[in-house]
Amino acid sequence: MILYILLFILFWPIAIFLSSFLFLVPFGYVVNSMFSLFTVPAQLMELARNPILRKNHALEHATINVLEGYSGKRGWLSGFAKEDGFYIKGSVEPIMVEKAVREALERLKAGEKSLAIHSSCGTGRAVGSFLSGVVLITLIFVSGAINLWTIILAVLVSAFLGPLVGELAQVLYTTLSDVKDIVIYDIQPDVQYIVGPFGRRMPVYGDSYFIRTGKSYYEII
């Protein structure tokens, strides 16, 4: 009995302290959703006005889809598109990356547009957060108050509609599957150097690859 009392005295303050952070979760969600009302449209418009970036984004998605098809599992890779290419991040052999990139480009050029869309793209999460902000603003305007139930409703709406609208945003704004004028220049593994015996620098290959792309009519110097 005394042991239980001592445990109660010891852990009760800790439990109260940890539970207090739960009240910060809805507040953080509201702040993030409201912030996305201003940032997400600007990000989508910036991508929409850059066809080269959209094509690399599409090829990035296509490459990840192909690699996931090889392995039979999803969610273990990530990527990031730039104007001169894109990154693929994950534990995968270089030869498989090269094979997937070239297959992805061929399939996109053959008209397989769905390959440019990926369900785990950051666009879906950003659009989901934006929808939450819209729902919260609407509920606050209608009810004149904000509480836990309005936040829960906003979460449910974004969870249900976010992926659908996110994929639509990929099609309309953030990817461009017409990559007929795109070529692959090279595939560069992420290399870091460590100092070995006698001060010699030794290369260490990480789980990241940069695929450099460009227009087919560019001359490689």
Side-chain angles (χ1 to χ4, degrees), residues 39-77:
T39 59
V40 172
Q43 292 171 358
L44 292 179
M45 289 301 103
E46 182 180 358
L47 274 169
R49 292 194 295 264
N50 193 331
I52 297 297
L53 185 57
R54 291 177 64 189
K55 291 179 181 183
N56 282 329
H57 194 195
L59 186 53
E60 172 219 321
H61 283 179
T63 302
I64 292 177
N65 278 321
V66 171
L67 283 169
E68 289 180 340
Y70 292 162
S71 67
K73 59 182 180 179
R74 299 182 68 85
W76 60 286
L77 294 169

Side-chain angles (χ1 to χ4, degrees), residues 17-46:
F17 175 76
L18 293 176
S19 63
S20 64
F21 285 96
L22 295 176
F23 293 99
L24 298 178
V25 174
F27 177 76
Y29 182 85
V30 171
V31 172
N32 182 66
S33 298
M34 295 301 183
F35 185 70
S36 68
L37 291 174
F38 302 96
T39 59
V40 172
Q43 292 171 358
L44 292 179
M45 289 301 103
E46 182 180 358

Side-chain angles (χ1 to χ4, degrees), residues 57 60-61 116-127 166 170 174-175:
H57 194 195
E60 172 219 321
H61 283 179
I117 308 302
H118 197 280
S119 58
S120 298
C121 177
T123 300
R125 292 188 293 271
V127 170
Q170 290 182 56
T174 70
T175 67

